[in-house]
Amino acid sequence: EVQLVESGGGLVQPGGSLKLSCAASGFTFTESAIHWVRQAPGKGLEWVGRIRSRFNRYETSNPASVRGRFTISRDESRSTAFLQMDSLEIEDAAIYYCTRPTTDVDNHDWFFDLWGRGTLVTVSS
Amino acid sequence: QSALTQPASVSGSPGQSITISCTGTSTNVGKYNLLSWYQQHPGRAPKLIIYEVSERPSGVSNRFSGSKSGNTASLTISGLHTEDEGDYYCFSYARNNVGVFGGGTKVTVL
């Protein structure tokens, strides 16, 4: 089955760290970029970052809101992507989704046709 | 990058057509065709319904169509069905390898 499964969410204190995982199956992970998107409770979607495939040298990027705090990586042998979140703030509390673009060619990895079910991150003291 | 601007809510009766706008700037929506739309039902992950401004993925109803003029993209739902109720988000590439979502639009079928 073609799917993405997130894990690693939970309760963390402000200033703490958490590492989320995104396990892929049913498709060629090594040829796919992976993006992360979050959704605070009752709020809209926010793009959190991406990591491209080996064909694009595993290039990563993040929006200013998380740059320097969130790091995306991947392990090809485990078909898994990761989102390392440091210096967490109350505002980072959300459901975190990983998602796969339709392609990783020519900077066209901005259309997401496969989503996980998400993992909930709660930031509270 | 600031979020793209969408109306908070749009409503229509079954069978009617509605249009959701997504307004950005000349550095995102106006500059690139890397614009997509997502449908989200409560408690579910988003679903891609339009990509590259006006293309429909396989399996998505042809009642959904997209367009763009200048800095504003639009999603039109024709022949509104009750199952079209939900939240809709636009998303655009916004230079320097970042992307930005719209604030979301809640569609209600009256």
Side-chain angles (χ1 to χ4, degrees):
Chain A
E1 180 183 1
V2 176
Q3 64 178 354
L4 296 169
V5 179
E6 303 92 339
S7 61
L11 174 64
V12 61
Q13 293 185 335
S17 297
L18 205 59
K19 187 173 185 177
L20 307 183
S21 298
C22 169
S25 59
F27 64 94
T28 307
F29 179 78
T30 55
E31 297 178 0
S32 297
I34 293 292
H35 291 234
W36 288 88
V37 173
R38 69 183 179 184
Q39 186 169 35
K43 302 297 185 182
L45 301 173
E46 181 184 8
W47 181 77
V48 173
R50 81 170 348 169
I51 184 166
R52 302 194 71 181
S53 69
R54 60 188 176 94
F55 299 117
N56 291 289
R57 304 176 185 178
Y58 304 117
E59 172 188 317
T60 61
S61 56
N62 301 94
S65 58
V66 304
R67 199 169 295 148
R69 300 189 301 121
F70 288 13
T71 303
I72 300 175
S73 61
R74 58 194 292 162
D75 182 339
E76 306 299 288
S77 67
R78 294 165 58 187
S79 296
T80 300
F82 304 97
L83 177 64
Q84 175 68 46
M85 304 184 295
D86 299 318
S87 303
L88 281 161
E89 304 168 353
I90 299 288
E91 295 74 25
D92 295 319
I95 295 172
Y96 283 74
Y97 297 99
C98 62
T99 182
R100 180 198 72 178
T102 56
T103 182
D104 191 28
V105 173
D106 293 337
N107 203 34
H108 271 60
D109 63 312
W110 298 98
F111 313 127
F112 313 131
D113 66 347
L114 179 66
W115 295 70
R117 298 179 70 174
T119 187
L120 178 64
V121 172
T122 303
V123 184
S124 175
S125 55
Chain B
Q1 286 281 344
S2 299
L4 308 177
T5 301
Q6 297 181 232
S9 63
V10 173
S11 62
S13 300
Q16 285 187 330
S17 294
I18 61 170
T19 296
I20 302 169
S21 61
C22 169
T23 300
T25 69
S26 59
T27 63
N28 44 57
V29 176
K31 187 175 177 69
Y32 307 99
N33 286 331
L34 300 176
L35 189 288
S36 51
W37 289 91
Y38 298 85
Q39 176 193 62
Q40 187 180 33
H41 290 130
R44 304 293 296 275
K47 173 188 175 183
L48 178 67
I49 56 173
I50 294 288
Y51 67 97
E52 209 160 8
V53 176
S54 59
E55 299 297 313
R56 256 189 329 272
S58 174
V60 172
S61 171
N62 59 9
R63 297 185 299 102
F64 294 95
S65 62
S67 63
K68 188 180 81 167
S69 177
N71 296 336
T72 298
S74 298
L75 172 72
T76 297
I77 309 176
S78 305
L80 206 57
H81 289 183
T82 54
E83 60 262 33
D84 297 332
E85 275 204 349
D87 297 319
Y88 291 79
Y89 297 90
C90 59
F91 178 75
S92 176
Y93 176 69
R95 74 178 178 180
N96 297 326
N97 296 317
V98 299
V100 60
F101 278 100
T105 298
K106 182 177 183 62
V107 169
T108 301
V109 181
L110 302 171

